[in-house]
Amino acid sequence: MLARHQDPIAAIATAPGRGAVGIVRVSGHGLLPLVQALTGRTLVPRHATYGPFLGADGLPIDQGLALYFPAPHSYTGEDVLELQAHGGPVVLQLLLARCLQAAGEGALPGLRLAEPGEFTERAFLNDKLDLAQAEAVADLIDASTEAAARSAVRSLSGAFSTHITALRDQLIALRMLVEATLDFPEEEIDFLEKADARGRLDRLAAQLATVLDTAQQGALLREGLKVVIAGQPNAGKSSLLNALAGAELAIVTPIPGTTRDKVSETLQIEGVPVHIIDTAGLRSDEEASDQVERIGIARSWEAIAEADAVLLLHDLTRCDDPVYTAADRAIEARLPERQRQRLVHVFNKVDAAPAGRLEAALADLSRAQGDSGSAPQALGLSAKTHTGLQVLRETLLALAGWHASPEGVFIARTRHLKALRQARDHLAHARAWAAQADTALDLLAEELRLAHDALGEITGAYTPDDLLGDIFTRFCIGK
């Protein structure tokens, strides 16, 4: 533990701005003198006590509730004092300044302002939370949908950690058997047969695959899916954004080039956050009406390059125009390879197109892409009448890889997925070594160790200090 982790810390624990109640939190060892200086009394542990918070002159700064949590039965595992006052920013700043002043006068030497995430970091370092649970605290605060919030609560309660611990326990048992065989070769233990090592490895790999799949669903709940609506001017991109959002977010006119810059909205589909980005109509610089539109088109391509999925919108009423169709094909050809793999062709204005036009457009698209080896993802809809919107929503979820119910999913991060994939790969190598007739037990043992370490990074059993710093500095101050 670093020296700074021994310092007592203080911070305002509620969000900036005005509110009914605001909280000032202090954590450290030996807080009783500070409690006496601020409240003028001895507090009953874990009981809310109403009374004045005293300034240096003995006069009240405010009236509120004081709670004292002696170590180790507190959020951080240290002594914790919480002052719940009226939620005005000036009042809270006065209380925080009084805490630091009283500490400087001898009530709590060394008290300093907390860094972002330092209270939760203390909880992790004092074994009140593991690292996955600590990250779930921030994920719960940042949750953008109800499903994401519920999944973060599940991770905070230890659902994710329980799965990881179970996998690690099985790995430990396997490592013990392998390394015992290495240490005592004279015993001639037929490890692979008698200990059912291959069967254990197969079952462990299957369980890890299930956890990885659930974690991928949780990461999708946390991060969401970034979807860009692209296409030529007047294809109905802004109308589609408005239809999906259920609100008039973007200006819609028949004038080409109306949308000059990106318009974004986050909505949820079955609890999954979907970040929809409407872009300026794509056409050549020569066709653009002015420099502003050209800049908007450049930004559209930048958004497309960063998208998880692209909806290429076609105006079905113009799909019989060879010039228009050729321009659509040129847009598709310019898409980055990654985006072509996650591209949905959306034929808009089915309500205004002649009968049979959609079927003909879909057939033309299939013929044009016949050499690609895979059928294009395509559908028809009307942004005006909302026909086909539900099919589009379902297509987006399938494109994102969502196939679970939010119930039972735990929140996960990119680093968790990376660690799980590393563990999966090391287990695959271990299974390959175990399958050989003349097993190289030392290499098998090394792959098991690496898989074990990868899983340990998730809960913090094996985590570099620089990673801890990166994780906790992203928290808000006072948490």
Side-chain angles (χ1 to χ4, degrees), residues 178-200:
V178 174
E179 291 170 14
T181 305
L182 287 170
D183 291 340
F184 302 101
E186 68 279 1
E187 296 293 331
E188 298 182 356
I189 300 175
D190 188 355
F191 163 72
L192 294 179
E193 297 300 330
K194 293 183 179 180
D196 188 28
R198 295 188 184 94
R200 290 191 183 196

Side-chain angles (χ1 to χ4, degrees), residues 165-187:
T165 300
L167 292 172
R168 290 185 64 231
D169 288 346
Q170 293 179 63
L171 269 171
I172 290 171
L174 271 173
R175 289 185 63 191
M176 289 172 60
L177 289 168
V178 174
E179 291 170 14
T181 305
L182 287 170
D183 291 340
F184 302 101
E186 68 279 1
E187 296 293 331

Side-chain angles (χ1 to χ4, degrees), residues 212-423:
L212 175 56
D213 180 71
T214 306
Q216 288 172 331
Q217 304 299 296
L220 187 59
L221 282 180
R222 180 179 184 272
E223 304 292 344
L225 181 70
K226 185 184 293 184
V227 178
V228 168
I229 305 175
Q232 297 185 60
N234 281 6
K237 298 182 296 298
S238 298
S239 296
L240 179 56
L241 171 66
N242 292 342
L244 286 169
E248 297 297 317
L249 302 175
I251 299 173
V252 177
T253 77
I255 302 172
T258 297
T259 301
R260 298 298 187 97
D261 203 351
K262 297 181 294 185
V263 180
S264 304
E265 176 69 7
T266 296
L267 50 98
Q268 59 173 303
I269 303 174
E270 294 185 17
V272 177
V274 180
H275 313 293
I276 304 288
I277 302 171
D278 174 27
T279 57
L282 300 175
R283 53 182 173 176
S284 67
D285 288 347
E286 293 75 20
E287 294 175 303
S289 60
D290 53 37
Q291 181 64 19
V292 175
E293 186 181 355
R294 283 189 283 273
I295 293 173
I297 292 171
R299 291 183 177 179
S300 296
W301 283 110
E302 291 172 1
I304 289 170
E306 298 173 354
D308 297 318
V310 176
L311 303 181
L312 183 54
L313 208 61
H314 310 279
D315 183 346
L316 195 56
T317 64
R318 290 187 280 169
C319 282
D320 60 341
D321 181 349
V323 175
Y324 180 82
T325 302
D328 270 354
R329 300 280 161 75
I331 292 172
E332 182 180 0
R334 188 177 167 183
L335 291 174
E337 182 61 31
R338 174 176 175 271
Q339 274 62 33
R340 289 189 208 177
Q341 302 302 318
R342 310 190 79 179
L343 172 65
V344 180
H345 293 271
V346 179
F347 292 89
N348 187 29
K349 305 183 184 179
V350 295
D351 58 308
R357 178 66 58 79
L358 176 60
E359 292 74 13
L362 293 174
D364 288 343
L365 179 64
S366 296
R367 283 192 294 271
Q369 298 190 350
D371 297 333
S372 65
S374 60
Q377 295 197 71
L379 56 91
L381 59 75
S382 169
K384 181 178 180 181
T385 66
H386 296 185
T387 300
L389 276 189
Q390 184 57 32
V391 174
L392 176 59
R393 295 186 182 101
E394 293 168 0
T395 300
L396 288 175
L397 287 181
L399 201 62
W402 179 257
H403 57 79
S405 166
E407 298 301 324
V409 173
F410 43 74
I411 210 77
R413 296 185 170 203
T414 301
R415 78 168 195 91
H416 301 152
L417 300 183
K418 180 181 177 182
L420 286 168
R421 288 169 183 148
Q422 287 175 339

Side-chain angles (χ1 to χ4, degrees), residues 86-104:
H86 293 95
V90 173
V91 173
L92 296 177
Q93 288 293 343
L94 287 172
L95 280 178
L96 180 59
R98 174 57 184 147
C99 290
L100 296 171
Q101 179 189 32

Side-chain angles (χ1 to χ4, degrees), residues 40-120:
R41 67 180 75 185
T42 300
L43 300 180
V44 178
R46 292 174 294 281
H47 283 251
T49 302
Y50 179 76
F53 304 137
L54 304 175
D57 55 4
L59 297 176
I61 297 173
D62 192 13
Q63 299 271 349
L65 296 176
L67 294 100
Y68 171 59
F69 303 89
H73 304 296
S74 69
Y75 178 69
T76 64
E78 303 172 337
D79 292 346
V80 170
L81 173 66
E82 287 193 357
L83 305 177
Q84 299 185 6
H86 293 95
V90 173
V91 173
L92 296 177
Q93 288 293 343
L94 287 172
L95 280 178
L96 180 59
R98 174 57 184 147
C99 290
L100 296 171
Q101 179 189 32
E105 294 171 350
L108 189 61
L111 179 67
R112 60 172 174 81
L113 293 175
E115 298 175 7
E118 196 167 1
F119 287 94
T120 305

